[in-house]
Amino acid sequence: MAAHIRRRLRKGATTTAVAAAAVAALAASQAPAAPLAEGSTGGDQQTAGGETGGPEDGAATGNSPYYTDLPPLVTPDRPGSSSNLPAATGSAEAGIPASVLAAYKQAEQTVGTTAPACRLPWQLLAAIGKVESGQARGGQVDANGTTPTPILGPALNGEGFALIKDTDGGAYDGDAVHDRAVGPMQFIPSTWATWGQDANGDGRKDPNNIYDAALAAGRYLCAGGRNLAVAADLDRAVLSYNQSTEYLRTVRSWFAYYQRGTHEVPDGSGVLPTAPSTPSPSPTPTPSPTPGGTTSPTPSPGPSKPGATKPTPGPSKPGDGTTSPTPTPPRPTPPPKPTPSPADTLGSLENAGTGPLTATAGGTFDERVSVRARNALGAPMAQLPVTFTITGTTGTLFDGGKKKVTVISKADGTATAPALKAGEKTGEFTVTATAGTTRPRTLTYAASVTARQADKIVRTDEKALVAAPGEKFADAVTVKATHKGVAAPGVAVTATMVKDSLGLIDNDKGPYFKDAAGKPLRTLDLTTGADGLLQLPEIFADENPGTYKLRLTTEGGGSVVIELTVQAPEETAPEETETPEA
């Protein structure tokens, strides 16, 4: 941040004494927060220009500068009073812009659900947000909680600050040479890459968004199983954010101040710190001669992320002769983004009694896929969209001809898909039910399509089938397949020449069919037509007379045995001719 911001790099007895006096004054006028852990001392833990303080040291901000303004000595409210004061009460310093306050409280609720043992208080986030960005420049955020321009710290180039070389190609901080702290909670890019969150549900993890940044800060502070109700854990958490004891004392002061009471103010009307919210650029070093008598050009900032806005220098220090930019008018206060309660949070998706899913080709499945949604409390969840999707190559569709449908769950939490219409191809497929967006729940059902069936097959006439050896049978064989008394179209029928009446022994002589090449064939696979009828191909007799059997069987158990007779035609005696008498 600007050179005139009081930095953690400043050391000495004076700074420590002032901070200690301020904390002592606060302690005398208000109920104290958890005491500083034993061993916390004044002074900074980093040397200017050193290599420490980067991500390897675990500092979320890279130990960037921060605002050292201390809270007023007059507390927001008397002990024991509400911590949610109306806007008309409390000092101006106690007011927190609406969207910023909503983001802190939402982060507390979210972390309280996922990591309740941490006991994260939103007032700690408010204290860090105060010293890092002045509550995001007094609440200068849009309706989604995003700052109109990025809040960037100075380049961490080792000149008065830590040396942290670029880790993000300038994607977050617009600097492809060195890293800078970014956003309302001042994360350096390498830390954001690990801890970034999407708390406002827009599909992006944006360090410039107060909702995303506040949740990331909350999860970061709770890392390592910390319990922030314990003083030592709270101190370690704050020091992990910026490794400076002066920083810890400043945050502690604001934490205690906000615990005593605060109130919501419109976005854009928060009290700004004494130093400017937008950091001024780091001074450009004088070019130094290079071997050969030339001077090295001043390095230019790295390329910005497409669509990103370059940081705007903040207002100049009063009295330096420059003109401050026109302040941005306050924006309308957006409604705080609601945090879903456990009753409104999807907890599970379970089978609601769906039985085996099997049907014959072209038929309708007797069972319908049904699921039950429950919330995080285990109660049925109504009015929840559940999407059912068919995956497979059988051609099966939902009633209406769709492979994907969405159904809204009923009061008992159940959602039932439309009836399934089996396709013409046999095989396996799946039906998947999906619900929820943030953490979707899925349930997959196995299903199958079997061949069409016929439980009965009969000849359509009773003519005797007879042929002479070496000849073909004059009469065609026609059969009809039915299933539960109804014509069964598309049913597979197997025709086999057999020796016995049960059709258990195949025959290798007697009547036969012909294949495409005209060779004898004594087994054929056929299919009934649309009306369940099947006319067999021509049947031929070999040179072996006798009585033979043809067995027809179907999927579903239908069968019929038909007799075929091969015999020579009976010879008739020639008629005697009378000889006339002489």
Side-chain angles (χ1 to χ4, degrees), residues 83 205 552:
S83 62
K205 298 177 180 179
L552 304 176

Side-chain angles (χ1 to χ4, degrees), residues 278 469 539:
T278 307
I539 302 175

Side-chain angles (χ1 to χ4, degrees), residues 524-582:
L524 280 180
D525 290 324
L526 306 166
T527 305
T528 61
D531 52 3
L533 294 175
L534 170 64
Q535 181 174 308
L536 273 61
E538 292 180 328
I539 302 175
F540 299 87
D542 63 7
E543 300 298 332
N544 299 293
T547 300
Y548 300 90
K549 300 182 184 301
L550 168 63
R551 184 171 185 258
L552 304 176
T553 59
T554 68
E555 289 284 347
S559 67
V560 63
V561 176
I562 302 172
E563 283 193 355
L564 300 172
T565 302
V566 178
Q567 66 178 25
E570 293 182 4
E571 293 184 3
T572 56
E575 293 183 4
E576 293 183 1
T577 304
E578 292 184 3
T579 302
E581 293 179 0

Side-chain angles (χ1 to χ4, degrees), residues 126-152:
I128 292 174
K130 180 69 173 180
V131 302
E132 293 294 349
S133 67
Q135 307 299 20
R137 295 176 180 159
Q140 296 291 339
V141 295
D142 63 18
N144 293 320
T146 305
T147 59
T149 57
I151 301 175
L152 300 177

Side-chain angles (χ1 to χ4, degrees), residues 21-320:
V23 173
L26 281 171
S29 61
Q30 60 191 39
L36 289 172
E38 228 178 285
S40 296
T41 59
D44 295 306
Q45 299 178 354
Q46 171 165 336
T47 302
E51 289 278 359
T52 58
E56 66 273 12
D57 289 336
T61 65
N63 294 328
S64 292
Y66 56 90
Y67 294 118
T68 57
D69 302 49
L70 292 172
L73 296 181
V74 179
T75 59
D77 197 25
R78 65 184 183 279
S81 61
S82 170
S83 62
N84 294 293
L85 304 178
T89 65
S91 70
E93 281 285 0
I96 299 179
S99 292
V100 180
L101 182 58
Y104 296 151
K105 291 186 176 181
Q106 176 176 301
E108 178 193 60
Q109 292 175 0
T110 302
V111 175
T113 300
T114 59
C118 176
R119 300 177 68 180
L120 170 72
W122 66 261
Q123 292 90 343
L124 180 59
L125 297 176
I128 292 174
K130 180 69 173 180
V131 302
E132 293 294 349
S133 67
Q135 307 299 20
R137 295 176 180 159
Q140 296 291 339
V141 295
D142 63 18
N144 293 320
T146 305
T147 59
T149 57
I151 301 175
L152 300 177
L156 299 175
N157 55 12
E159 298 178 14
F161 310 114
L163 174 59
I164 302 179
K165 296 181 180 180
D166 174 66
T167 61
D168 67 330
Y172 291 121
D173 56 12
D175 191 334
V177 179
H178 298 98
D179 272 350
R180 299 169 182 257
V182 183
M185 304 304 277
Q186 289 289 278
F187 281 95
I188 55 173
S190 59
T191 307
W192 184 259
T194 301
W195 293 94
Q197 303 289 316
D198 175 21
N200 66 346
D202 64 356
R204 297 179 59 228
K205 298 177 180 179
D206 185 0
N208 297 298
N209 180 274
I210 184 59
Y211 289 97
D212 293 359
L215 181 57
R219 295 201 189 285
Y220 182 89
L221 293 168
C222 288
R226 296 187 185 108
N227 178 357
L228 300 182
V230 176
D233 277 5
L234 188 145
D235 289 353
R236 280 192 290 269
V238 175
L239 286 171
S240 77
Y241 213 88
N242 193 312
Q243 295 179 352
S244 160
T245 306
E246 182 185 356
Y247 178 86
L248 171 62
R249 293 184 181 279
T250 306
V251 169
R252 277 283 203 160
S253 298
W254 282 107
F255 177 43
Y257 183 75
Y258 287 133
Q259 280 186 312
R260 293 299 303 271
T262 187
H263 58 276
E264 177 183 300
V265 298
D267 286 349
S269 63
V271 175
L272 297 176
T274 304
S277 294
T278 307
S280 300
S282 300
T284 302
T286 304
S288 57
T290 60
T294 60
T295 58
S296 300
T298 302
S300 59
S304 299
K305 182 179 179 182
T309 305
K310 293 184 178 180
T312 305
S316 303
K317 183 178 179 181
D320 64 359

Side-chain angles (χ1 to χ4, degrees), residues 106 109-110 113 337-346 438:
Q106 176 176 301
Q109 292 175 0
T110 302
T113 300
K337 189 177 182 66
T339 300
S341 66
D344 297 325
T345 302
L346 176 61
T438 305

